[in-house]
Amino acid sequence: MTADSLPGASAAAMSLRDRFDDALRDFLRTRRQEIEWSEPEASVLIDEIGRLLGAGGKRLRPAFCYWGYRAGGEGDDGRIVRAAAALELLHTMALVHDDLMDEAKDRRGVEASSVHLAAEAVRRGLPATPERFGWSAAILVGDFAVVLADRMFLEAGFSPASTTRALDRYHRMRTEMAVGQYLDVAGLTVEAGAARRVARLKGGAYTVEGPLVIGASLAGASLHQLALLSRYGDPLGEAFQLRDDVDDGEAGDGATPSTVNELVDRAIAGLDPAEFSAESIEALRDLAEHVAMR
């Protein structure tokens, strides 16, 4: 799923996406100034992150984090926009490193980081071999994106107690991301059931359920609410990853449009109007329907 925005996204959804992008631009601008004051030649790292963010993306992970917060009983405020936007920086790391592992040449309609940075070495007249520089610098861009994600999340403005609650799921999500990616790289997704297990780690942990529970934790949601959100997020995250695999022609055992739709329906059925506001349920249902293959 590589479109720049969700097909049929509402005006409210696009407005929220714009708020995430504004928060990211403000944060990156400040961080770039810090680098310029100390090592201006290294500003290429943050410029590359900005280039990739500017190329598009649906901002799904920030959206799930935001609506997890709202489902947890809190209203709209700038803190959750900043905390949620930080997850897009984590996603940027995953994209950059994934492109390296796949030896991809493009991402979101622009050059992949290794290709762009190799050309940058030539433009700047750097003494390093362009191809080697491009590969190595792309690794550093991904690493730096994680550092920035952590800082943006921690500096979003929440209390230490709220941040600590959310960090438990944040750290677990990052672990599950790495584990799922390793299983994929190792080729351990071809046996029966393995594709769906990896999809739960790569999709549920990092795309839907993880961001959703992080947002709800920042809101101080009850254990019951967290469990209900996980009941929504687990199947939807798996559906998202399986759809990605189907669209890319990489579907393993158990990855079919029918399976995707069944998982989406199960997710939506888990939204309890007795626990969550009508507004948050509508938004989460809308996000789920965009994953379906109907």
Side-chain angles (χ1 to χ4, degrees), residues 13-124:
M14 294 305 295
S15 174
L16 183 58
R17 182 189 185 280
D18 289 343
R19 292 175 67 195
F20 295 142
D21 284 352
D22 288 344
L24 285 164
R25 277 191 291 268
D26 289 346
F27 177 78
L28 292 177
R29 186 183 304 114
T30 302
R31 303 289 80 77
R32 192 184 194 283
Q33 289 173 348
E34 293 174 349
I35 293 175
E36 283 186 325
W37 291 335
S38 58
E39 295 295 338
E41 287 296 322
S43 62
V44 65
L45 293 172
I46 207 157
D47 289 343
E48 177 59 12
I49 293 171
R51 184 184 74 90
L52 293 174
L53 289 171
K58 296 179 285 294
R59 310 298 187 255
L60 277 177
R61 291 150 192 88
F64 280 115
C65 184
Y66 174 88
W67 285 111
Y69 182 78
R70 298 293 302 276
E74 291 291 343
D76 175 64
D77 67 61
R79 296 175 303 165
I80 187 56
V81 171
R82 291 189 293 273
L87 300 186
E88 192 64 24
L89 291 170
L90 183 65
H91 181 48
T92 301
M93 173 278 295
L95 296 181
V96 173
H97 287 176
D98 194 53
D99 286 345
L100 288 172
M101 288 183 277
D102 293 344
E103 298 183 351
K105 302 302 181 185
D106 59 79
R107 165 68 64 178
R108 293 173 174 168
V110 299
E111 292 175 329
S113 288
S114 62
V115 176
H116 180 78
L117 292 168
E120 187 70 15
V122 175
R123 284 193 292 269
R124 290 175 175 241

